[in-house]
Amino acid sequence: MVRGQIEEKLRKAFSPVYLEVQDESYRHNVPAGSESHFKVIIVSDSFANQRFLMRHRAIYGVLADELAGSVHALALHTYTVKEWEGLRDTVPASPDCRGAGTMA
């Protein structure tokens, strides 16, 4: 449900040519079924001429309600179409959780 809300808001705000929202909560020490940790890969030319900090702030603004609620962590990978083409569709893997394991 939260993942869907994130996708919908990002599509509406940035009209991405590529968007992937991954729920990585299972990789963290949270109760089963939690939707608290997400990785977002978004490719949009609306990021043209913006530094990464400005791109991230724009996304944080769009997702303010989710970040004030259940979303604890948001890994952002933001690219223009030209940047994305240069990466050959590769995105860095998320780091391991420092509190590895799951809650009982």
Side-chain angles (χ1 to χ4, degrees):
M1 183 171 161
V2 174
R3 185 177 149 268
Q5 291 172 332
I6 291 171
E7 284 181 352
E8 182 179 332
K9 286 185 172 186
L10 293 177
R11 283 190 196 287
K12 188 179 274 187
F14 300 102
S15 301
V17 296
Y18 180 82
L19 175 64
E20 185 176 345
V21 179
Q22 300 173 3
D23 183 350
E24 294 187 329
S25 303
Y26 70 92
R27 300 182 67 211
H28 299 272
N29 192 15
V30 297
S34 294
E35 288 185 286
S36 57
H37 294 70
F38 291 90
K39 177 178 183 175
V40 173
I41 304 159
I42 183 169
V43 180
S44 173
D45 277 334
S46 65
F47 298 136
N49 301 314
Q50 288 186 354
R51 295 177 186 242
F52 287 112
L53 180 60
M54 295 307 294
R55 297 173 188 188
H56 291 198
R57 284 181 178 164
I59 291 171
Y60 295 151
V62 169
L63 301 178
D65 290 341
E66 289 76 12
L67 291 166
S70 65
V71 175
H72 172 73
L74 192 61
L76 298 176
H77 301 275
T78 59
Y79 307 101
T80 64
V81 172
K82 186 175 181 178
E83 291 167 343
W84 183 244
E85 289 170 354
L87 291 171
R88 298 182 187 224
D89 300 337
T90 59
V91 175
S94 295
D96 290 332
C97 177
R98 290 183 180 234
T102 58
M103 295 182 72

XYZ file of all heavy atoms in Angstrom:
818
model
N 0.816 -1.184 0.000
C 0.000 0.000 0.000
C 0.872 1.265 0.000
O 0.660 2.160 -0.807
C -0.920 -0.019 1.210
C -1.852 1.133 1.245
S -3.053 0.895 2.553
C -3.608 2.528 2.748
N 1.842 1.341 0.896
C 2.727 2.516 0.956
C 3.535 2.602 -0.332
O 3.691 3.684 -0.896
C 3.654 2.453 2.192
C 4.655 3.590 2.179
C 2.831 2.486 3.477
N 4.030 1.457 -0.798
C 4.800 1.438 -2.046
C 3.967 2.020 -3.192
O 4.457 2.829 -3.987
C 5.232 0.006 -2.367
C 6.125 -0.088 -3.580
C 6.557 -1.552 -3.784
N 6.731 -1.797 -5.173
C 5.805 -2.254 -6.016
N 4.613 -2.556 -5.595
N 6.070 -2.415 -7.283
N 2.724 1.657 -3.281
C 1.840 2.163 -4.318
C 1.624 3.664 -4.211
O 1.578 4.371 -5.222
N 1.484 4.161 -2.998
C 1.320 5.603 -2.783
C 2.560 6.359 -3.243
O 2.450 7.414 -3.877
C 1.071 5.903 -1.303
C -0.264 5.438 -0.800
C -0.380 5.575 0.719
O 0.616 5.523 1.438
N -1.598 5.737 1.196
N 3.718 5.808 -2.907
C 4.984 6.443 -3.311
C 5.061 6.496 -4.837
O 5.366 7.540 -5.420
C 6.187 5.694 -2.705
C 6.223 5.907 -1.193
C 7.495 6.134 -3.368
C 7.236 5.042 -0.461
N 4.788 5.372 -5.492
C 4.840 5.331 -6.952
C 3.884 6.342 -7.576
O 4.263 7.075 -8.489
C 4.491 3.929 -7.459
C 5.590 2.926 -7.287
C 5.207 1.564 -7.830
O 4.030 1.345 -8.217
O 6.096 0.702 -7.861
N 2.658 6.375 -7.089
C 1.654 7.277 -7.653
C 2.074 8.742 -7.523
O 1.989 9.515 -8.478
C 0.317 7.060 -6.936
C -0.804 7.912 -7.475
C -2.123 7.655 -6.756
O -2.330 6.531 -6.247
O -2.938 8.587 -6.707
N 2.545 9.121 -6.348
C 2.951 10.510 -6.127
C 4.153 10.889 -6.994
O 4.205 11.994 -7.542
C 3.265 10.743 -4.649
C 2.027 10.809 -3.790
C 2.383 11.157 -2.368
C 1.146 11.416 -1.544
N 1.501 11.891 -0.193
N 5.123 9.990 -7.117
C 6.309 10.288 -7.916
C 5.971 10.372 -9.403
O 6.496 11.234 -10.114
C 7.406 9.260 -7.662
C 8.010 9.285 -6.255
C 9.038 8.170 -6.096
C 8.621 10.634 -5.932
N 5.084 9.506 -9.869
C 4.672 9.563 -11.281
C 3.983 10.886 -11.585
O 4.252 11.522 -12.607
C 3.736 8.404 -11.617
C 4.441 7.097 -11.792
C 3.541 6.014 -12.357
N 4.121 4.705 -12.177
C 5.150 4.216 -12.857
N 5.726 4.961 -13.772
N 5.624 3.014 -12.622
N 3.113 11.293 -10.682
C 2.362 12.533 -10.886
C 3.282 13.754 -10.848
O 3.154 14.666 -11.651
C 1.289 12.662 -9.802
C 0.327 13.810 -10.035
C -0.712 13.874 -8.946
C -1.859 12.948 -9.285
N -2.986 13.078 -8.350
N 4.244 13.762 -9.936
C 5.103 14.935 -9.744
C 6.234 15.055 -10.763
O 6.620 16.166 -11.126
C 5.695 14.917 -8.334
N 6.768 13.922 -11.228
C 7.987 13.977 -12.040
C 7.862 13.383 -13.440
O 8.816 13.437 -14.206
C 9.143 13.297 -11.294
C 9.442 13.939 -9.976
C 9.005 13.353 -8.787
C 10.116 15.140 -9.905
C 9.269 13.951 -7.555
C 10.378 15.750 -8.692
C 9.947 15.151 -7.507
N 6.735 12.776 -13.770
C 6.533 12.153 -15.087
C 7.769 11.361 -15.526
O 8.364 11.628 -16.580
C 6.204 13.219 -16.138
O 5.047 13.921 -15.784
N 8.187 10.395 -14.722
C 9.430 9.677 -15.039
C 9.303 8.790 -16.272
O 8.224 8.271 -16.572
C 9.665 8.829 -13.790
C 8.312 8.618 -13.206
C 7.545 9.874 -13.524
N 10.428 8.620 -16.964
C 10.484 7.659 -18.063
C 10.776 6.272 -17.507
O 10.528 5.263 -18.171
C 11.522 8.050 -19.136
C 11.132 9.356 -19.806
C 12.909 8.127 -18.568
N 11.312 6.236 -16.302
C 11.537 4.971 -15.603
C 11.361 5.228 -14.116
O 11.856 6.222 -13.583
C 12.954 4.442 -15.868
C 13.241 3.135 -15.169
C 12.820 1.928 -15.722
C 13.912 3.105 -13.951
C 13.065 0.729 -15.078
C 14.167 1.905 -13.307
C 13.738 0.719 -13.875
O 13.982 -0.469 -13.236
N 10.639 4.334 -13.451
C 10.446 4.432 -12.012
C 10.383 3.037 -11.433
O 9.636 2.184 -11.916
C 9.152 5.186 -11.677
C 8.776 5.245 -10.189
C 9.815 6.015 -9.382
C 7.398 5.859 -10.017
N 11.164 2.812 -10.408
C 11.132 1.548 -9.682
C 11.173 1.877 -8.192
O 12.059 2.604 -7.738
C 12.329 0.683 -10.073
C 12.312 -0.687 -9.461
C 13.466 -1.560 -9.951
O 14.118 -1.214 -10.963
O 13.714 -2.581 -9.306
N 10.200 1.365 -7.470
C 10.157 1.544 -6.020
C 10.231 0.160 -5.404
O 9.342 -0.669 -5.598
C 8.863 2.271 -5.573
C 8.842 2.419 -4.057
C 8.756 3.630 -6.241
N 11.312 -0.092 -4.687
C 11.529 -1.401 -4.067
C 11.329 -1.295 -2.561
O 11.917 -0.427 -1.921
C 12.947 -1.891 -4.340
C 13.286 -2.057 -5.797
C 14.753 -2.382 -6.013
O 15.529 -2.539 -5.075
N 15.144 -2.493 -7.272
N 10.513 -2.173 -2.024
C 10.332 -2.256 -0.579
C 11.453 -3.128 -0.029
O 11.486 -4.332 -0.265
C 8.961 -2.854 -0.252
C 8.678 -2.895 1.245
O 9.594 -2.642 2.059
O 7.530 -3.201 1.597
N 12.390 -2.519 0.668
C 13.536 -3.245 1.229
C 13.392 -3.469 2.731
O 14.364 -3.764 3.418
C 14.829 -2.484 0.928
C 15.143 -2.434 -0.559
C 16.497 -1.840 -0.848
O 16.962 -0.962 -0.093
O 17.110 -2.269 -1.849
N 12.194 -3.350 3.236
C 11.955 -3.498 4.676
C 12.398 -4.863 5.186
O 12.902 -4.980 6.308
C 10.474 -3.276 4.983
O 10.056 -2.014 4.537
N 12.227 -5.891 4.367
C 12.593 -7.247 4.770
C 14.082 -7.381 5.094
O 14.493 -8.302 5.795
C 12.214 -8.251 3.669
C 13.084 -8.139 2.432
C 14.233 -8.919 2.289
C 12.788 -7.223 1.429
C 15.046 -8.801 1.179
C 13.594 -7.099 0.311
C 14.711 -7.893 0.193
O 15.514 -7.767 -0.909
N 14.894 -6.456 4.616
C 16.339 -6.495 4.850
C 16.734 -5.827 6.162
O 17.908 -5.720 6.478
C 17.068 -5.793 3.704
C 16.808 -6.442 2.356
C 17.566 -5.778 1.246
N 18.989 -6.036 1.462
C 19.947 -5.190 1.102
N 19.667 -4.056 0.542
N 21.205 -5.498 1.322
N 15.740 -5.357 6.911
C 16.009 -4.595 8.121
C 15.333 -5.227 9.326
O 14.453 -6.075 9.195
C 15.550 -3.145 7.927
C 16.265 -2.471 6.810
N 17.468 -1.819 6.996
C 15.993 -2.386 5.485
C 17.883 -1.353 5.833
N 17.012 -1.682 4.901
N 15.726 -4.796 10.476
C 15.226 -5.334 11.733
C 13.892 -4.668 12.091
O 13.823 -3.829 12.977
C 16.277 -5.104 12.826
C 15.963 -5.879 14.079
O 15.149 -6.789 14.061
N 16.594 -5.503 15.169
N 12.858 -5.058 11.339
C 11.514 -4.515 11.542
C 10.522 -5.676 11.584
O 10.821 -6.763 11.093
C 11.128 -3.522 10.415
C 12.062 -2.314 10.415
C 11.127 -4.188 9.058
N 9.363 -5.461 12.158
C 8.355 -6.533 12.178
C 7.966 -6.958 10.754
O 7.961 -6.128 9.832
C 7.162 -5.902 12.887
C 7.738 -4.767 13.679
C 8.904 -4.276 12.888
N 7.631 -8.220 10.595
C 7.200 -8.739 9.293
C 6.023 -7.914 8.788
O 5.140 -7.530 9.547
C 6.816 -10.200 9.421
N 6.031 -7.618 7.493
C 4.954 -6.855 6.890
C 5.129 -5.345 6.966
O 4.303 -4.601 6.437
N 6.188 -4.894 7.611
C 6.440 -3.454 7.700
C 6.746 -2.897 6.315
O 7.371 -3.554 5.492
C 7.624 -3.158 8.614
O 7.320 -3.504 9.929
N 6.298 -1.701 6.059
C 6.656 -0.977 4.842
C 7.355 0.293 5.304
O 6.754 1.354 5.398
C 5.412 -0.639 4.027
C 4.778 -1.832 3.352
C 3.626 -1.411 2.473
O 2.567 -1.065 3.013
O 3.808 -1.403 1.231
N 8.643 0.154 5.613
C 9.355 1.253 6.248
C 10.642 1.663 5.544
O 11.131 2.762 5.758
C 9.676 0.881 7.695
O 10.435 -0.319 7.725
N 11.193 0.802 4.713
C 12.465 1.071 4.047
C 12.289 0.879 2.533
O 11.920 -0.215 2.096
C 13.547 0.111 4.547
C 13.905 0.299 5.981
N 13.063 -0.023 7.013
C 15.030 0.775 6.550
C 13.652 0.239 8.169
N 14.852 0.729 7.908
N 12.572 1.926 1.770
C 12.363 1.854 0.325
C 13.582 2.345 -0.443
O 14.324 3.208 0.020
C 11.156 2.715 -0.086
C 9.852 2.158 0.399
C 9.351 2.536 1.627
C 9.144 1.250 -0.363
C 8.156 2.017 2.095
C 7.950 0.728 0.089
C 7.447 1.111 1.321
N 13.737 1.776 -1.617
C 14.752 2.216 -2.578
C 13.998 2.710 -3.801
O 13.138 1.998 -4.337
C 15.665 1.054 -2.955
C 16.716 1.387 -3.997
C 17.573 0.158 -4.245
C 18.682 0.418 -5.214
N 19.557 -0.765 -5.338
N 14.293 3.931 -4.233
C 13.623 4.537 -5.380
C 14.653 4.805 -6.472
O 15.675 5.444 -6.225
C 12.927 5.861 -4.986
C 12.383 6.571 -6.217
C 11.831 5.613 -3.959
N 14.365 4.299 -7.650
C 15.158 4.596 -8.835
C 14.216 5.363 -9.755
O 13.180 4.836 -10.163
C 15.655 3.315 -9.525
C 16.432 2.452 -8.537
C 16.488 3.660 -10.759
C 16.532 0.997 -8.936
N 14.561 6.600 -10.037
C 13.680 7.444 -10.842
C 14.498 8.178 -11.896
O 15.547 8.751 -11.596
C 12.870 8.416 -9.955
C 11.890 9.237 -10.792
C 13.756 9.273 -9.095
C 10.869 10.018 -9.973
N 14.004 8.101 -13.129
C 14.662 8.739 -14.262
C 13.672 9.730 -14.865
O 12.600 9.337 -15.329
C 15.077 7.698 -15.320
C 15.770 8.383 -16.501
C 15.973 6.629 -14.704
N 14.045 10.996 -14.812
C 13.148 12.044 -15.313
C 13.965 13.241 -15.765
O 14.906 13.655 -15.082
C 12.191 12.483 -14.200
O 11.433 13.598 -14.601
N 13.579 13.805 -16.873
C 14.268 15.004 -17.335
C 13.866 16.230 -16.525
O 14.436 17.304 -16.711
C 14.053 15.217 -18.837
C 15.038 14.389 -19.656
O 16.134 14.073 -19.142
O 14.715 14.041 -20.802
N 12.937 16.082 -15.607
C 12.636 17.207 -14.716
C 13.794 17.453 -13.749
O 13.840 18.482 -13.085
C 11.331 16.965 -13.944
O 11.457 15.877 -13.067
N 14.748 16.518 -13.695
C 15.936 16.688 -12.852
C 17.078 17.411 -13.578
O 18.141 17.632 -12.998
C 16.451 15.342 -12.355
C 15.486 14.596 -11.490
C 15.282 13.239 -11.683
C 14.793 15.224 -10.473
C 14.400 12.534 -10.881
C 13.905 14.529 -9.667
C 13.703 13.176 -9.875
N 16.863 17.751 -14.836
C 17.912 18.421 -15.616
C 18.355 19.699 -14.910
O 17.546 20.442 -14.363
C 17.407 18.740 -17.014
N 19.645 19.929 -14.897
C 20.262 21.118 -14.298
C 20.034 21.224 -12.790
O 20.075 22.316 -12.238
C 19.777 22.392 -14.998
C 20.101 22.379 -16.474
O 21.212 22.049 -16.865
N 19.122 22.704 -17.293
N 19.771 20.107 -12.139
C 19.627 20.088 -10.679
C 20.700 19.190 -10.084
O 20.951 18.099 -10.580
C 18.264 19.536 -10.257
C 17.105 20.420 -10.507
C 15.825 19.829 -9.920
O 15.796 18.715 -9.425
N 14.763 20.602 -9.982
N 21.286 19.657 -9.005
C 22.215 18.804 -8.260
C 21.399 17.760 -7.518
O 20.191 17.916 -7.312
C 23.021 19.635 -7.284
C 23.939 20.619 -7.978
C 24.662 21.465 -6.954
N 25.419 22.494 -7.624
C 26.740 22.583 -7.555
N 27.430 21.735 -6.825
N 27.368 23.538 -8.192
N 22.080 16.689 -7.087
C 21.377 15.597 -6.405
C 20.633 16.088 -5.169
O 19.527 15.639 -4.890
C 22.337 14.459 -6.046
C 22.761 13.659 -7.241
C 24.066 13.698 -7.696
C 21.848 12.867 -7.916
C 24.458 12.976 -8.805
C 22.224 12.124 -9.030
C 23.529 12.183 -9.477
N 21.203 17.016 -4.435
C 20.544 17.520 -3.234
C 19.191 18.141 -3.568
O 18.197 17.890 -2.869
C 21.437 18.545 -2.521
C 20.864 19.159 -1.255
C 20.581 18.080 -0.207
C 21.813 20.201 -0.697
N 19.110 18.913 -4.629
C 17.844 19.534 -5.018
C 16.836 18.486 -5.489
O 15.642 18.591 -5.206
C 18.070 20.582 -6.107
C 18.906 21.771 -5.638
S 18.273 22.556 -4.126
C 16.726 23.198 -4.710
N 17.322 17.489 -6.191
C 16.440 16.399 -6.637
C 15.847 15.688 -5.419
O 14.645 15.420 -5.376
C 17.219 15.386 -7.471
C 17.789 15.952 -8.743
C 18.682 14.943 -9.426
N 19.376 15.541 -10.553
C 20.097 14.858 -11.417
N 20.221 13.548 -11.301
N 20.700 15.468 -12.413
N 16.700 15.393 -4.458
C 16.245 14.675 -3.263
C 15.268 15.524 -2.456
O 14.246 15.011 -1.973
C 17.443 14.255 -2.422
C 18.270 13.191 -3.086
N 19.161 12.402 -2.403
C 18.344 12.786 -4.378
C 19.741 11.557 -3.241
N 19.269 11.782 -4.439
N 15.562 16.800 -2.329
C 14.634 17.683 -1.602
C 13.271 17.727 -2.274
O 12.244 17.756 -1.605
C 15.217 19.091 -1.494
C 16.301 19.212 -0.470
C 16.824 20.625 -0.387
N 17.834 20.739 0.652
C 18.671 21.756 0.758
N 18.604 22.759 -0.103
N 19.559 21.777 1.714
N 13.261 17.743 -3.595
C 11.987 17.750 -4.322
C 11.195 16.479 -4.032
O 9.980 16.521 -3.798
C 12.239 17.897 -5.823
N 11.877 15.354 -4.004
C 11.210 14.086 -3.709
C 10.732 14.053 -2.261
O 9.609 13.632 -1.975
C 12.142 12.896 -4.030
C 12.318 12.800 -5.551
C 11.584 11.595 -3.451
C 13.362 11.811 -5.993
N 11.572 14.508 -1.338
C 11.155 14.555 0.068
C 9.904 15.413 0.237
O 9.017 15.081 1.029
C 12.263 15.115 0.961
C 13.507 14.269 1.051
C 14.747 14.861 1.285
C 13.481 12.889 0.900
C 15.907 14.108 1.366
C 14.630 12.129 0.979
C 15.841 12.735 1.216
O 16.979 11.991 1.303
N 9.808 16.505 -0.509
C 8.632 17.357 -0.433
C 7.380 16.641 -0.905
O 6.321 16.742 -0.285
N 7.502 15.896 -1.995
C 6.362 15.155 -2.540
C 5.938 14.041 -1.588
O 4.749 13.745 -1.453
C 6.724 14.579 -3.933
C 5.684 13.586 -4.415
C 6.886 15.714 -4.937
N 6.900 13.438 -0.905
C 6.612 12.298 -0.024
C 6.609 12.684 1.459
O 6.818 11.838 2.324
C 7.638 11.185 -0.269
C 7.690 10.636 -1.696
C 8.778 9.579 -1.821
C 6.334 10.075 -2.118
N 6.340 13.938 1.754
C 6.387 14.428 3.137
C 5.479 13.628 4.068
O 5.871 13.302 5.193
C 6.031 15.909 3.186
N 4.275 13.305 3.631
C 3.341 12.565 4.491
C 3.869 11.167 4.810
O 3.788 10.713 5.952
C 1.965 12.448 3.833
C 1.235 13.774 3.762
O 1.592 14.708 4.521
O 0.307 13.887 2.947
N 4.411 10.493 3.809
C 4.942 9.143 4.022
C 6.157 9.179 4.947
O 6.301 8.327 5.828
C 5.314 8.502 2.677
C 4.124 8.122 1.822
C 3.438 9.297 1.131
O 3.993 10.421 1.116
O 2.337 9.090 0.606
N 7.020 10.177 4.758
C 8.210 10.294 5.598
C 7.869 10.682 7.031
O 8.591 10.342 7.965
C 9.196 11.290 4.981
C 9.841 10.807 3.680
C 10.518 11.963 2.958
C 10.812 9.682 3.946
N 6.764 11.378 7.212
C 6.314 11.733 8.557
C 5.584 10.561 9.215
O 5.368 10.569 10.427
C 5.390 12.948 8.504
N 5.235 9.569 8.417
C 4.501 8.413 8.922
C 5.379 7.185 9.039
O 6.391 7.181 9.741
N 5.032 6.166 8.273
C 5.662 4.856 8.431
C 7.003 4.682 7.723
O 7.735 3.749 8.016
C 4.701 3.762 7.942
O 4.471 3.906 6.552
N 7.335 5.563 6.792
C 8.585 5.398 6.042
C 9.759 5.899 6.882
O 9.833 7.064 7.245
C 8.530 6.121 4.680
C 9.883 6.021 3.981
C 7.440 5.522 3.813
N 10.657 4.976 7.186
C 11.821 5.276 8.018
C 13.048 5.623 7.177
O 13.862 6.450 7.570
C 12.129 4.068 8.908
C 13.399 4.183 9.672
N 13.551 5.018 10.758
C 14.596 3.580 9.494
C 14.783 4.911 11.221
N 15.438 4.058 10.473
N 13.172 4.977 6.011
C 14.368 5.181 5.186
C 13.984 5.180 3.714
O 13.132 4.408 3.278
C 15.383 4.085 5.454
N 14.638 6.069 2.975
C 14.369 6.209 1.554
C 15.700 6.386 0.835
O 16.349 7.427 0.964
C 13.477 7.438 1.344
C 12.822 7.662 0.009
C 11.892 6.513 -0.353
C 12.049 8.967 0.041
N 16.118 5.346 0.120
C 17.348 5.417 -0.670
C 16.968 5.933 -2.049
O 16.144 5.323 -2.735
C 17.992 4.038 -0.777
N 17.534 7.057 -2.451
C 17.156 7.690 -3.707
C 18.270 7.603 -4.737
O 19.424 7.941 -4.456
C 16.805 9.166 -3.472
C 15.628 9.433 -2.547
C 15.457 10.933 -2.336
C 14.361 8.823 -3.105
N 17.891 7.178 -5.924
C 18.786 7.144 -7.078
C 18.056 7.917 -8.162
O 17.110 7.417 -8.774
C 19.066 5.702 -7.505
C 19.693 4.892 -6.421
N 21.049 4.882 -6.199
C 19.147 4.106 -5.467
C 21.307 4.093 -5.161
N 20.167 3.621 -4.705
N 18.475 9.155 -8.375
C 17.771 10.076 -9.268
C 18.645 10.415 -10.471
O 19.801 10.800 -10.309
C 17.399 11.368 -8.514
O 18.594 11.972 -8.023
C 16.465 11.079 -7.350
N 18.064 10.284 -11.662
C 18.840 10.486 -12.878
C 18.024 11.203 -13.945
O 16.803 11.063 -14.005
C 19.277 9.135 -13.469
C 19.991 8.253 -12.491
C 19.328 7.203 -11.858
C 21.332 8.459 -12.174
C 19.980 6.383 -10.949
C 21.993 7.638 -11.259
C 21.312 6.603 -10.650
O 21.954 5.799 -9.748
N 18.723 11.925 -14.804
C 18.113 12.397 -16.039
C 18.209 11.242 -17.030
O 18.930 10.262 -16.792
C 18.854 13.617 -16.611
O 20.189 13.216 -16.957
C 18.883 14.776 -15.627
N 17.529 11.360 -18.157
C 17.584 10.300 -19.171
C 19.019 10.114 -19.656
O 19.500 8.978 -19.787
C 16.630 10.617 -20.347
C 16.820 9.627 -21.479
C 15.187 10.620 -19.861
N 19.722 11.203 -19.887
C 21.107 11.123 -20.373
C 22.012 10.429 -19.347
O 22.837 9.593 -19.705
C 21.633 12.525 -20.689
C 22.998 12.536 -21.318
C 23.406 13.932 -21.716
C 24.787 13.910 -22.369
N 25.193 15.242 -22.805
N 21.855 10.771 -18.076
C 22.652 10.120 -17.021
C 22.349 8.628 -16.961
O 23.255 7.809 -16.811
C 22.360 10.761 -15.665
C 22.866 12.171 -15.524
C 22.297 12.893 -14.316
O 21.273 12.449 -13.736
O 22.880 13.936 -13.959
N 21.074 8.294 -17.077
C 20.647 6.893 -17.002
C 21.236 6.089 -18.157
O 21.704 4.971 -17.962
C 19.123 6.843 -17.020
C 18.511 5.498 -16.887
C 17.760 4.855 -17.831
C 18.533 4.630 -15.755
N 17.334 3.650 -17.350
C 17.792 3.485 -16.079
C 19.123 4.702 -14.492
C 17.611 2.414 -15.191
C 18.944 3.646 -13.602
C 18.203 2.524 -13.960
N 21.228 6.667 -19.346
C 21.805 5.985 -20.501
C 23.289 5.731 -20.284
O 23.812 4.689 -20.668
C 21.581 6.801 -21.770
C 20.139 6.813 -22.226
C 19.865 7.817 -23.337
O 20.770 8.610 -23.695
O 18.727 7.816 -23.829
N 23.979 6.658 -19.642
C 25.396 6.497 -19.366
C 25.694 5.411 -18.348
O 26.785 4.844 -18.329
N 24.720 5.093 -17.514
C 24.898 4.043 -16.507
C 24.624 2.651 -17.052
O 24.911 1.661 -16.386
C 23.956 4.283 -15.313
C 24.280 5.477 -14.452
C 23.150 5.718 -13.449
C 25.585 5.250 -13.709
N 24.044 2.605 -18.221
C 23.647 1.326 -18.823
C 22.695 0.566 -17.904
O 22.808 -0.632 -17.698
C 24.849 0.476 -19.171
C 25.729 1.148 -20.198
C 26.881 0.284 -20.553
N 27.780 1.044 -21.403
C 28.328 0.557 -22.482
N 28.103 -0.676 -22.837
N 29.123 1.307 -23.211
N 21.773 1.307 -17.314
C 20.720 0.743 -16.467
C 21.247 0.005 -15.236
O 20.657 -0.966 -14.783
C 19.816 -0.186 -17.279
C 19.140 0.533 -18.420
O 19.002 1.766 -18.348
O 18.748 -0.129 -19.385
N 22.362 0.458 -14.680
C 22.880 -0.152 -13.458
C 22.712 0.823 -12.304
O 22.886 2.022 -12.458
C 24.370 -0.518 -13.583
O 25.105 0.659 -13.862
C 24.597 -1.545 -14.673
N 22.350 0.285 -11.169
C 22.133 1.089 -9.971
C 22.892 0.419 -8.834
O 22.875 -0.809 -8.714
C 20.629 1.171 -9.631
C 20.405 1.891 -8.324
C 19.877 1.857 -10.748
N 23.561 1.204 -7.982
C 24.280 0.599 -6.863
C 23.348 -0.211 -5.963
O 22.199 0.160 -5.743
C 24.838 1.802 -6.094
C 24.793 2.938 -7.060
C 23.680 2.650 -8.011
N 23.858 -1.310 -5.465
C 23.088 -2.138 -4.532
C 22.978 -1.415 -3.196
O 23.844 -0.622 -2.826
C 23.776 -3.484 -4.342
N 21.910 -1.684 -2.497
C 21.735 -1.096 -1.172
C 22.689 -1.751 -0.191
O 22.960 -2.951 -0.289
C 20.297 -1.303 -0.693
O 19.401 -0.610 -1.516
N 23.208 -0.995 0.768
C 24.105 -1.582 1.765
C 23.340 -2.501 2.700
O 22.115 -2.399 2.846
C 24.646 -0.366 2.516
C 23.611 0.679 2.322
C 22.985 0.420 0.986
N 24.073 -3.396 3.341
C 23.458 -4.271 4.325
C 22.984 -3.447 5.512
O 23.575 -2.427 5.853
C 24.452 -5.337 4.811
C 24.751 -6.364 3.729
O 23.883 -6.591 2.866
O 25.861 -6.921 3.749
N 21.949 -3.909 6.153
C 21.414 -3.263 7.333
C 22.356 -3.475 8.503
O 22.869 -4.571 8.710
C 20.041 -3.845 7.654
S 19.304 -3.204 9.151
N 22.605 -2.424 9.272
C 23.480 -2.560 10.445
C 22.824 -3.364 11.549
O 23.478 -3.959 12.355
C 23.877 -1.185 10.959
C 24.812 -0.475 10.035
C 25.223 0.843 10.616
N 26.120 1.501 9.696
C 27.315 1.933 10.033
N 27.744 1.812 11.258
N 28.078 2.496 9.145
N 21.511 -3.367 11.602
C 20.775 -4.159 12.586
C 20.252 -5.412 11.926
O 19.059 -5.669 11.937
N 21.147 -6.179 11.298
C 20.753 -7.339 10.503
C 19.851 -8.286 11.289
O 19.929 -8.389 12.494
C 21.990 -8.078 10.022
N 19.023 -8.960 10.542
C 18.091 -9.902 11.156
C 16.706 -9.333 11.177
O 16.458 -8.197 10.803
N 15.777 -10.145 11.589
C 14.398 -9.694 11.679
C 13.894 -9.835 13.099
O 14.402 -10.633 13.877
C 13.484 -10.519 10.743
O 13.598 -11.897 11.112
C 13.888 -10.339 9.296
N 12.899 -9.062 13.409
C 12.305 -9.125 14.740
C 11.400 -10.336 14.830
O 10.781 -10.728 13.855
C 11.516 -7.852 15.033
C 12.386 -6.620 15.096
S 11.453 -5.139 15.485
C 11.095 -5.435 17.198
N 11.310 -10.897 15.977
C 10.449 -12.071 16.173
C 9.030 -11.661 16.390
O 8.693 -10.585 16.687
C 10.955 -12.879 17.360
